[in-house]
Amino acid sequence: MTDKVLVTGVSGFIGGHLAAALLRRGYAVRGSVRSPSRIGEVRDAMAAAGVGSADLDIHRLDLLSDRGWAEAAEGCRYVLHVASPFVLEKPKDPADLIRPAVEGATRAVTAALDAGAERVVMTSALATMQFARAPKGHLYTEADRTDPDDPRLNAYTVSKIRAERAALEIARRRGASDRLALINPGAVIGPLLTDDPGTSITAIQQIMSGALPMIPDLRLPWVDVRDVADVHIAAMSATGAGGRRTIIATDPMSLIDVAQVIRERLPQARHKLPARAMPTWLTWLASAFVPQLRDNRWLIGQKQRFDRTPAETLLGRPLRPIPEAIAATGHSLAERRLI
């Protein structure tokens, strides 16, 4: 009998790649969307990924409602909770992000454990470790924890911390810590399956479209979405993945270096690329006026290091080179006329 996997947020960038990778491996997939209007988009995404959708059924779930969660998890050997709110601009009320993230994690983990799922794998974020206070040169590991009460954090980071902690507490309280695995990706990029570029890809889209007059010295821990999908799938059954947080990210690469990769690998995009790089001091100055820079001040000029060994152990190979992921992202944006 084919194993069934529930993937929440299947219409999203990571969720779509996860569903495609699972179908490619012979699993049956039950995906969730918040709006039925996106069901056709999900099936188109599977076609774009080169997989059939005969073994894909889609349920409607809302992070803020109990309706349908028990039925969606029923009969699923594994549950992959990917759905989470994300906005590019800081919301007026942080609860607009925090509440659905926490309630969604609570509903997903509870439904999975109630249904007898062998493991629930939840997409968290590197941000839950990345902004822990640490000395210069520190190697960030799963032991690092960002303080959610740090006043410098944006609402997105707090939402991921609170959601992660809620999931861990439910699993602990029910004596099922080894049935929960947390995956903590950095800035996720890679080939697109739909015209929705996702959040991290927006930075590359802005560089390629000429929207930035200068390139800020913002350094992000990039990771290929195909690696993120593969790590989630490996964590469904790997003994060592249960009860832990797994970083999947590379050491940060600046947007300046990203632009150089695009210049070398996508010569057709050169004419739109910003001609100048914004020095670190000017990036800091600009962050006082540009909301996206202000919310990411900790990433300006930073040279952080992350322990990706557990993720590569799960994969059984190194992470894909980031220049390859950048090129795949750029080609997708160009092919879909999104730049």
Side-chain angles (χ1 to χ4, degrees):
M1 190 173 183
T2 303
D3 288 333
K4 181 166 287 188
V5 183
L6 172 62
V7 180
T8 69
V10 73
S11 59
F13 183 47
I14 296 175
H17 274 277
L18 255 174
L22 287 163
L23 291 168
R24 204 173 284 124
R25 288 165 168 80
Y27 289 97
V29 175
R30 177 174 292 158
S32 84
V33 294
R34 186 176 61 177
S35 170
S37 64
R38 303 201 70 177
I39 292 176
E41 182 182 334
V42 173
R43 297 199 182 279
D44 289 345
M46 296 305 100
V51 297
S53 55
D55 286 327
L56 170 67
D57 68 284
I58 302 176
H59 287 221
R60 181 182 181 182
L61 294 177
D62 191 314
L63 299 176
L64 292 172
S65 171
D66 289 333
R67 183 177 180 180
W69 283 91
E71 293 80 5
E74 185 179 359
C76 292
R77 185 173 182 181
Y78 307 108
V79 171
L80 305 182
H81 179 51
V82 187
S84 184
F86 195 116
V87 294
L88 292 176
E89 295 184 2
K90 185 177 180 179
K92 292 182 180 180
D93 184 355
D96 290 344
L97 276 176
I98 298 169
R99 182 181 165 222
V102 173
E103 290 193 19
T106 299
R107 289 185 169 92
V109 174
T110 300
L113 296 180
D114 286 348
E118 292 183 16
R119 180 162 291 162
V120 52
V121 182
M122 178 173 144
T123 311
S124 186
L126 183 64
T128 68
M129 310 166 187
Q130 183 182 9
F131 301 125
R133 296 180 183 273
K136 188 175 181 180
H138 176 70
L139 177 67
Y140 287 84
T141 72
E142 65 178 296
D144 288 294
R145 296 186 180 276
T146 304
D147 179 2
D149 296 320
D150 191 316
R152 294 174 296 177
L153 298 182
N154 60 31
Y156 166 73
T157 299
V158 176
S159 77
K160 300 305 284 189
I161 296 169
R162 298 292 186 197
E164 184 179 271
R165 292 188 177 185
L168 288 167
E169 174 57 24
I170 292 167
R172 184 201 64 77
R173 193 169 62 241
R174 296 184 55 162
S177 293
D178 61 342
R179 291 168 62 192
L180 172 66
L182 295 165
I183 307 300
N184 300 72
V188 186
I189 58 175
L192 298 174
L193 299 181
T194 71
D195 287 343
D196 182 354
T199 50
S200 299
I201 287 177
T202 301
I204 295 177
Q205 186 181 34
Q206 289 178 332
I207 291 173
M208 294 183 66
S209 66
L212 301 177
M214 298 177 71
I215 306 175
D217 186 19
L218 195 65
R219 304 185 184 190
L220 299 174
W222 308 99
V223 63
D224 193 301
V225 66
R226 293 165 292 188
D227 285 343
V228 175
D230 288 346
V231 165
H232 276 74
I233 294 170
M236 292 191 314
S237 57
T239 303
R244 69 180 303 176
R245 307 151 82 211
T246 298
I247 292 174
I248 178 163
T250 57
D251 294 345
M253 174 187 286
S254 73
L255 294 182
I256 296 169
D257 291 333
V258 169
Q260 184 59 33
V261 171
I262 295 170
R263 187 172 283 110
E264 293 171 356
R265 300 202 177 200
L266 289 93
Q268 69 273 24
R270 287 178 182 173
H271 67 287
K272 289 187 177 182
L273 295 180
R276 293 187 297 165
M278 187 182 294
T280 303
W281 69 268
L282 185 55
T283 304
W284 270 101
L285 181 62
S287 70
F289 308 98
V290 181
Q292 285 178 293
L293 288 179
R294 183 169 58 246
D295 287 345
N296 291 284
R297 276 185 173 181
W298 285 3
L299 303 178
I300 297 174
Q302 290 298 313
K303 297 181 180 179
Q304 294 176 304
R305 298 188 303 134
F306 304 103
D307 182 11
R308 56 180 178 267
T309 304
E312 292 184 334
T313 298
L314 282 174
L315 290 172
R317 59 171 174 79
L319 298 182
R320 285 178 172 84
I322 294 309
E324 176 186 311
I326 293 169
T329 304
H331 283 299
S332 283
L333 289 169
E335 288 169 1
R336 292 179 174 274
R337 301 181 183 276
L338 295 174
I339 54 173

